[in-house]
Amino acid sequence: MLHTVNKSPFEKNSLQTCLRLSQPGSSILLIEDGIYGALKGSDAAANITEHLQDRQFYVLGPDLKARGIDKSRLIDGIEIVDYDGFVKLAVEEPKVQSWM
Amino acid sequence: MSDQEASPTSGIIKKFLYVNRRAPHGSNYAQEGLEVALVGAAFEQDVAMAYIDDGVFQLKTDQDTSEIGTKNFSPTYRALGDYDVKKIYVEKESLEKRGLTQDDLMPLVYEDEDDDWAEKPMINLVSAAELQDIIEQSDVVLNF
Amino acid sequence: MKFSVVVNEGPYTHQASDSAYYFTRAVLSQGHEIMRVFFYHDGVNNGTRLTTPPQDDRNITNRWSDLAKEHDLDLVVCVAAAQRRGIVDEDEQKRNSKDTNNIADGFRISGLGQLIEAGIQSDRLVAFGD
C-alpha cells in the first residue's frame, strides 16, 4: 500500500499516525509540506529512521526543490521521485491512502 | 437493492473505509465526511468508519452547538446504523492520549435484523495493530 | 489502469489542487485513464470561472478546464458542497432562483454518489487536500 503524507511533522501528527497505522512493507511518499519530515538531523528525523528497515520512503522532488531542500539534507535511504514516479508507485501498490 | 436492479456499479462490492482524523466544529470536514458515508450507503458497499487522532472527538457525548451558530450534526451519527453502516472503529491509543474512555462516546447501536431487531453496539475499540490490518484489507480508503 | 482523483481544497490557499493537477497530468502522460476528478469540501471552489488571478500567476481553474478539454476529463463538483459555497451551474441557478451561475468550462455539478461510484469503478482513488 502507498501512503502519502502532506503535512510537516512539526505542524501535525500525520506522519506519526501514518507510521503507526501502516503495515511493515508499506511505501510512504512525502509530498507538499510532508517533505520536511525527511530532513536529516531534525527533531522529527527519528520518525523515519526508526522505520527505515521495514518501510520504503520516498519524497516528491518538485516539492523538495520548491522548498529549497537539497537532497544532501535528506535522511539516507530516502528515494526522490518525480510526478511520474508518484504515478508508478500508485500503480505498483494496490491502493493509496492520503494522510493529510 | 436486488441483483436485477440496474446500476452502474451493480455486482461490485468493495470495502470502503472512511478515516476520520479531525475534531468536529472547528472545521467542516467531519460533517461533510459523514455525508459521504450516508450517501455511500445507497450503493450497497461494505462500509466501515474509523475514528483516529482528533477524529475521536466527533463521537463525544453532549455536543451542543447552540451558542456557536454551527449545525449540530452529532445526532446524525446515531442514524448510521439505519444506513447499514454498522462497523465503527475507534483507535484505543487515540482515545487514551486524549484522556477519554468509551464512556465519553455516544452509545451508537444498530438494530440487527437477523436477531429480532436486537440493538447491538457499533463502536469497536481497536488497537493500532488491529487498525493497520483494517486499513490494509480495505479496497477504498477516504479521509476526512 | 483507471484512476480517479479527489480534490478537497480550494485553489490558491493550499497546494492540493496544484498537486492533484500535476498528478493527473502524469497519470495521463503514462497512458492511464482518469475516470473522474471529484471536487469536494472547499475543493468545489476550483470550479468557478470567475477566478481572476494576477497575470503572473497560474490560473488554476482554466488549467483544469484546458486539461478536461484536451483529455475529455469528467470534472465533477459535489452539489451539496457547491450549494453551500456558491458554486452554481445553469440548473442550480434555476432551481434556487439565483441571478447568475459561475461554473467553469468542463466542470459539472453532481451528487456525492459520483465519488462513491468513482471509488467502486476505479482501480485507484487518490485524494489531495489539507
Side-chain angles (χ1 to χ4, degrees):
Chain A
M1 185 163 172
L2 174 64
H3 299 259
T4 67
V5 177
N6 78 339
K7 286 290 170 293
S8 162
F10 306 102
E11 180 203 355
K12 207 177 159 181
N13 66 355
S14 305
L15 176 61
Q16 287 169 287
T17 300
C18 168
L19 293 168
R20 187 172 81 244
L21 299 180
S22 59
Q23 284 191 329
S26 299
S27 294
I28 296 170
L29 170 64
L30 308 175
I31 67 168
E32 300 175 357
D33 290 347
I35 65 106
Y36 295 120
L39 284 174
K40 189 160 47 183
S42 86
D43 279 359
N47 284 310
I48 287 179
T49 54
E50 282 170 9
H51 290 92
L52 272 172
Q53 300 257 318
D54 55 13
R55 309 240 195 324
Q56 183 63 53
F57 289 90
Y58 303 88
V59 287
L60 194 61
D63 281 331
L64 271 188
K65 192 175 162 188
R67 289 160 177 79
I69 306 295
D70 187 78
K71 65 181 182 203
S72 63
R73 305 294 294 272
L74 300 185
I75 295 163
D76 295 330
I78 299 182
E79 198 179 315
I80 301 173
V81 295
D82 58 11
Y83 273 98
D84 283 342
F86 185 173
V87 173
K88 287 195 179 98
L89 286 170
V91 169
E92 283 164 19
E93 301 283 341
K95 58 183 172 283
V96 184
Q97 150 76 350
S98 314
W99 300 97
M100 302 189 270
Chain B
M1 197 188 295
S2 69
D3 290 338
Q4 287 79 27
E5 206 165 321
S7 150
T9 55
S10 60
I12 307 172
I13 295 180
K14 285 191 175 180
K15 283 187 174 171
F16 276 69
L17 180 68
Y18 299 105
V19 174
N20 299 278
R21 286 182 52 235
R22 293 182 206 250
H25 312 306
S27 69
N28 188 239
Y29 295 98
Q31 185 186 352
E32 289 188 324
L34 193 54
E35 284 175 8
V36 176
L38 298 180
V39 168
F43 285 76
E44 304 270 312
Q45 301 293 303
D46 183 356
V47 175
M49 315 286 288
Y51 293 88
I52 302 166
D53 294 335
D54 280 354
V56 302
F57 288 127
Q58 293 183 31
L59 302 179
K60 177 71 182 65
T61 51
D62 302 325
Q63 295 176 50
D64 177 357
T65 61
S66 60
E67 294 180 21
I68 64 168
T70 60
K71 184 177 170 187
N72 187 3
F73 57 92
S74 69
T76 313
Y77 292 95
R78 297 174 195 274
L80 282 170
D82 302 334
Y83 284 83
D84 256 3
V85 180
K86 295 166 186 168
K87 283 177 283 188
I88 298 184
Y89 301 108
V90 176
E91 194 204 10
K92 230 178 286 174
E93 287 88 334
S94 296
L95 265 190
E96 283 164 8
K97 263 191 192 165
R98 287 159 183 79
L100 300 181
T101 67
Q102 189 159 5
D103 290 341
D104 290 303
L105 307 182
M106 293 184 272
L108 302 180
V109 294
Y110 72 97
E111 293 177 337
D112 189 350
E113 56 184 317
D114 299 326
D115 190 8
D116 199 23
W117 306 99
E119 286 196 341
K120 304 265 174 84
M122 289 199 285
I123 293 182
N124 301 288
L125 293 195
V126 290
S127 66
E130 288 171 302
L131 209 44
Q132 279 186 14
D133 294 340
I134 291 163
I135 292 170
E136 195 70 30
Q137 286 157 14
S138 305
D139 298 313
V140 182
V141 187
L142 280 165
N143 295 266
F144 298 104
Chain C
M1 184 171 275
K2 199 190 281 188
F3 279 79
S4 284
V5 171
V6 185
V7 182
N8 286 332
E9 288 301 320
Y12 301 107
T13 301
H14 194 272
Q15 201 188 336
S17 184
D18 295 283
S19 300
Y21 173 78
Y22 282 101
F23 180 80
T24 301
R25 274 200 350 187
V27 167
L28 293 165
S29 77
Q30 287 181 42
H32 300 294
E33 179 190 344
I34 295 282
M35 178 198 162
R36 181 167 295 149
V37 182
F38 190 84
F39 296 86
Y40 195 41
H41 301 296
D42 278 359
V44 300
N45 292 318
N46 286 286
T48 167
R49 65 168 184 269
L50 303 183
T51 302
T52 316
Q55 290 280 328
D56 61 351
D57 201 353
R58 70 236 189 262
N59 189 317
I60 292 179
T61 300
N62 287 356
R63 218 169 46 179
W64 280 116
S65 293
D66 293 344
L67 196 66
K69 197 169 181 187
E70 191 183 339
H71 296 277
D72 197 23
L73 295 185
D74 189 22
L75 307 181
V76 178
V77 172
C78 167
V79 61
Q83 284 173 334
R84 286 192 179 112
R85 295 165 178 85
I87 305 298
V88 180
D89 64 6
E90 214 169 311
D91 283 349
E92 287 297 312
Q93 179 190 346
K94 281 184 200 143
R95 205 192 323 270
N96 298 301
S97 309
K98 299 292 180 187
D99 59 8
T100 190
N101 65 68
N102 59 353
I103 193 87
D105 276 349
F107 287 80
R108 66 187 178 92
I109 294 181
S110 189
L112 265 179
Q114 300 275 305
L115 170 60
I116 310 294
E117 190 188 86
I120 296 169
Q121 294 185 351
S122 305
D123 302 302
R124 300 287 184 277
L125 187 67
V126 184
F128 296 87
D130 182 22

